[in-house]
Amino acid sequence: MGTVETIKIAKRTGFCYGVREAIDKAKESSAAGKLTHTLGQVVHNEGVVSDLQAMGIRTVETLDDVDHGAAVVIRAHGVRPDVMERATARGLEVIDGTCTWVIQEQKELLRLVDEGYTIVLLGTPKHPEVVGLLGFAPDAIVVDEEEEWEAKVPRKKRMALISQSTQPPWKFEKLAAFMVGRSHELKIVNTVCPVTIRRQEDTVEAAQEVDLMVVVGGRSSANTKELTRLCGIVGTPAIQIEHAADLADASVFDGKTVVGVTGGTSTPIEDLRDVAERVLKIAGTPKVAARAADLAHEALAGAATPAGRTSSLPKFVHAEGATQTHGAA
Ligand code: SF4
């Protein structure tokens, strides 16, 4: 028999504003009747991508797959400047969904290049945001895990440190301290996104109040993995899943009465509600399991702030003409 009595969804979860706005731009373009593509998956979430597909929005891996005159949405991670130029040269309508925070990072990098610094970029190599940033500073040295800093970070007179938006703040601060000893002048540009910081704070807060955390997000999402790691640091066991269907084995909840749910910046809040409902259904006490849907709804309503909504569009008309309403908060 299930033991879970209460479910708690961390505050300020759901899409970050960068992801939300890029998705909204794609929807608006499609609703305006334009043949719309996104360059790369606009978000690493199968449910969202298939929703967009149902609206006629296609994901392409290269600009060569977009027909002349069609619209292409640049996702929140941004792209190298030459990709923008090529899209325009090919006669595509470029809808720039690059997050304003990432645009700021790109500008800061250009300035550091102009000022002649040796640039160290804390980031996950090959992550689309990092690939895009390197287009602005091709000589920047990308470093990730602490074990590689000694070998990769040079000793230079003038160095600058900057970060991919979703890197954990502690890692950025630690690398900054490490670099102090390797340079005469060190310029630190803290570009860790505030959304990332708030998400981590809220996850830690929730983790401290529950017996077990369920972290929802892409398997390879660095910001999701970091949330799981933080739960462990505060001493709360955590499991990481991609979606509600991954919760097949109820034994993980044995003896737990309060369970928390949080998610990465690419996870829509509706997915958190679905996970909450599933937990209550498979592991709740009989009384709770019978009201799983209502209780999951209440948990989401208690957590989601306007900033955590899934869309800024009150409603939109998709390509086929049917009106849909978005946003659960
Ligand atoms: S994590 Fe922050 S910087 Fe990155 S896309 Fe989201 S809002 Fe923008």
Side-chain angles (χ1 to χ4, degrees):
M1 203 198 321
T3 53
V4 177
E5 291 169 6
T6 312
I7 198 101
K8 207 174 167 45
I9 297 178
K11 283 185 284 182
R12 296 181 292 186
T13 38
F15 290 150
C16 63
Y17 65 83
V19 167
R20 185 175 69 232
E21 289 190 5
I23 293 173
D24 283 354
K25 281 182 179 169
K27 286 177 182 170
E28 279 177 317
S29 165
S30 173
K34 294 178 196 165
L35 188 56
T36 305
H37 306 77
T38 66
L39 187 56
Q41 282 196 342
V42 72
V43 62
H44 296 295
N45 182 286
E46 284 166 35
V48 177
V49 171
S50 60
D51 279 358
L52 293 177
Q53 263 167 7
M55 291 170 208
I57 300 166
R58 278 181 54 207
T59 303
V60 291
E61 290 312 319
T62 137
L63 292 173
D64 299 333
D65 296 334
V66 185
D67 293 338
H68 183 88
V72 63
V73 178
I74 305 299
R75 59 187 168 180
H77 300 314
V79 289
R80 299 190 314 266
D82 59 290
V83 174
M84 284 285 195
E85 285 157 20
R86 218 159 65 78
T88 314
R90 272 180 53 84
L92 310 179
E93 183 187 344
V94 178
I95 299 175
D96 191 1
T98 310
C99 172
T100 49
W101 188 267
V102 176
I103 291 174
Q104 201 50 40
E105 283 176 352
Q106 296 171 343
K107 285 187 185 154
E108 295 282 6
L109 266 174
L110 278 179
R111 195 161 50 210
L112 294 174
V113 171
D114 274 358
E115 291 170 350
Y117 286 99
T118 297
I119 303 167
V120 172
L121 167 61
L122 175 64
T124 309
K126 301 214 171 81
H127 185 284
E129 182 182 323
V130 172
V131 172
L133 291 173
L134 285 175
F136 294 82
D139 295 331
I141 301 158
V142 180
V143 300
D144 190 359
E145 299 306 338
E146 200 174 341
E147 302 77 60
E148 65 190 43
W149 296 353
E150 183 63 46
K152 282 196 173 169
V153 178
R155 291 179 189 275
K156 291 275 180 185
K157 198 163 176 209
R158 297 177 76 231
M159 285 212 281
L161 170 64
I162 191 163
S163 176
Q164 176 191 355
S165 64
T166 47
Q167 286 291 318
W170 65 266
K171 203 167 167 188
F172 184 76
E173 287 160 23
K174 204 164 179 186
L175 179 55
F178 177 80
M179 286 178 64
V180 166
R182 297 175 93 87
S183 53
H184 169 66
E185 179 194 339
L186 177 63
K187 183 161 181 176
I188 299 170
V189 185
N190 186 351
T191 46
V192 176
C193 171
V195 177
T196 309
I197 297 170
R198 286 199 292 269
R199 182 73 45 113
Q200 295 179 1
E201 285 170 358
D202 290 351
T203 296
V204 165
E205 191 184 303
Q208 283 164 335
E209 296 168 0
V210 304
D211 303 320
L212 177 97
M213 284 294 284
V214 182
V215 183
V216 191
R219 216 157 285 141
S220 53
S221 153
N223 76 83
T224 306
K225 281 192 237 165
E226 179 62 14
L227 298 178
T228 309
R229 199 188 69 90
L230 287 172
C231 294
I233 288 177
V234 296
T236 305
I239 54 168
Q240 191 179 318
I241 58 167
E242 291 208 327
H243 25 66
D246 294 341
L247 286 177
D249 178 14
S251 67
V252 70
F253 302 103
D254 281 354
K256 314 287 186 219
T257 52
V258 189
V259 171
V261 181
T262 189
T265 48
S266 303
T267 307
I269 41 176
E270 292 80 359
D271 281 17
L272 303 187
R273 180 200 55 211
D274 294 348
V275 166
E277 183 177 343
R278 174 104 187 125
V279 171
L280 295 170
K281 244 186 204 150
I282 66 167
T285 60
K287 216 166 119 196
V288 159
R291 294 190 55 229
D294 287 348
L295 292 172
H297 229 88
E298 281 169 26
L300 184 65
T305 62
R309 65 199 182 274
T310 291
S311 171
S312 302
L313 305 173
K315 60 182 178 175
F316 69 93
V317 180
H318 73 67
E320 284 83 24
T323 302
Q324 293 198 352
T325 307
H326 277 248

